Amino acid sequence: LKTMRELEAKHKSTPILVHTDLKVVDNRLNPLAESFWKYQHINPSRIALNNLLIMNVATGCTMMINRQLKELSAPIPQTAIIHDWWITLVAASFGKIEYINSPTILYRQHGENDIGAIKYSLRYFMTRLGKLNETTTLIAKIIHQASTFYEIYKDKLNKADKVITCNFATLFERGRLSRLYTLLKFKYFGYGFARNLGIIMLCFLIKDRKSLTKK
């Protein structure tokens, strides 16, 4: 709240999002990781739109948003993968994002989590690539989310962000080499070698946009 008030005083009438780290615990609250960000290999400072289109960095249960961001984000469409990702995209495009580098909540990890805390590694991404159907389904959702974001906000986005969003939303309408060129040109990457290697490999493994729409 203190951080939010400071930002609102500095940036009048601006959509603002503040979020924090989490501590990962098991179903008996035994610590698994002191930092959710380190556990998942997330860099909360990477909030450029080209990064956020491919990977979210803010966790909804730690987020505080002001009224301006609430009004600009709503209604959240059904094609949004999760509400916190959608709100973060809006904040990055039209407002300010600030993070507090301290866990303020226990993230209780158990077998029934809808979206669990996963320890990212090269081995994990190789496993994901081996489950191409599941991974393709996720990519389809990410692309669909970007397409919806573009359609809703294209008249509000600045010229650079409009180009970034449109090219990402149409990434798989191109041939494989053109995809790779676009990926590198606009730097549609998350954080970490394994994660980005997986993204590059998917550019070649997924045949075309029709392959995504079937998922």
Side-chain angles (χ1 to χ4, degrees):
L1 180 59
K2 178 177 180 290
T3 302
M4 174 63 79
R5 285 174 171 167
E6 290 173 351
L7 288 168
E8 285 192 316
K10 186 177 180 181
H11 306 283
K12 301 290 185 181
S13 302
T14 299
I16 297 173
L17 183 158
V18 180
H19 68 109
T20 78
D21 200 354
L22 312 86
K23 181 184 290 188
V24 184
V25 298
D26 65 16
N27 58 357
R28 295 185 178 181
L29 304 186
N30 298 309
L32 296 176
E34 292 299 312
S35 169
F36 178 88
W37 291 340
K38 290 181 180 178
Y39 191 74
Q40 288 219 298
H41 212 48
I42 292 171
N43 184 345
S45 67
R46 292 176 68 91
I47 54 173
L49 188 57
N50 57 324
N51 301 133
L52 290 176
L53 284 167
I54 194 74
M55 176 184 173
N56 185 34
V57 299
T59 307
C61 54
T62 75
M63 283 169 44
M64 175 181 285
I65 66 174
N66 66 355
R67 185 176 300 277
Q68 287 83 358
L69 182 52
K70 171 184 175 290
E71 292 175 350
L72 188 58
S73 301
I76 297 175
Q78 291 185 345
T79 50
I81 297 175
I82 43 177
H83 73 278
D84 41 9
W85 196 343
W86 183 266
I87 294 170
T88 304
L89 285 170
V90 176
S93 301
F94 307 107
K96 299 291 180 182
I97 299 175
E98 185 63 69
Y99 67 91
I100 297 172
N101 194 15
S102 178
T104 58
I105 190 171
L106 299 180
Y107 185 95
R108 187 168 175 267
Q109 175 70 11
H110 55 82
E112 298 178 358
N113 288 72
D114 287 335
I115 302 175
I118 303 166
K119 190 169 185 178
Y120 281 87
S121 64
L122 183 59
R123 180 180 179 182
Y124 168 78
F125 269 91
M126 292 300 101
T127 301
R128 290 292 300 182
L129 289 172
K131 299 177 180 179
L132 191 57
N133 285 341
E134 292 180 17
T135 304
T136 302
T137 298
L138 176 59
I139 293 295
K141 290 179 179 179
I142 292 173
I143 294 293
H144 200 178
Q145 176 175 256
S147 298
T148 304
F149 186 82
Y150 179 75
E151 288 303 316
I152 291 175
Y153 295 107
K154 62 183 176 183
D155 293 333
K156 293 184 174 69
L157 289 167
N158 64 43
K159 185 177 180 180
D161 285 349
K162 186 181 291 188
V163 171
I164 287 170
T165 308
C166 183
N167 275 277
F168 183 77
T170 58
L171 186 64
F172 288 94
E173 294 175 13
R174 311 162 190 267
R176 288 181 171 90
L177 291 179
S178 180
R179 259 181 242 164
L180 180 60
Y181 172 78
T182 303
L183 188 77
L184 296 175
K185 178 181 179 180
F186 293 102
K187 300 178 181 177
Y188 297 124
F189 292 119
Y191 182 67
F193 173 77
R195 185 176 275 116
N196 292 328
L197 177 60
I199 293 169
I200 291 172
M201 292 180 70
L202 283 170
C203 271
F204 288 96
L205 291 174
I206 295 174
K207 185 179 179 181
D208 51 29
R209 183 64 182 260
K210 291 181 180 180
S211 302
L212 294 177
T213 55
K214 290 177 182 178
K215 304 301 175 183

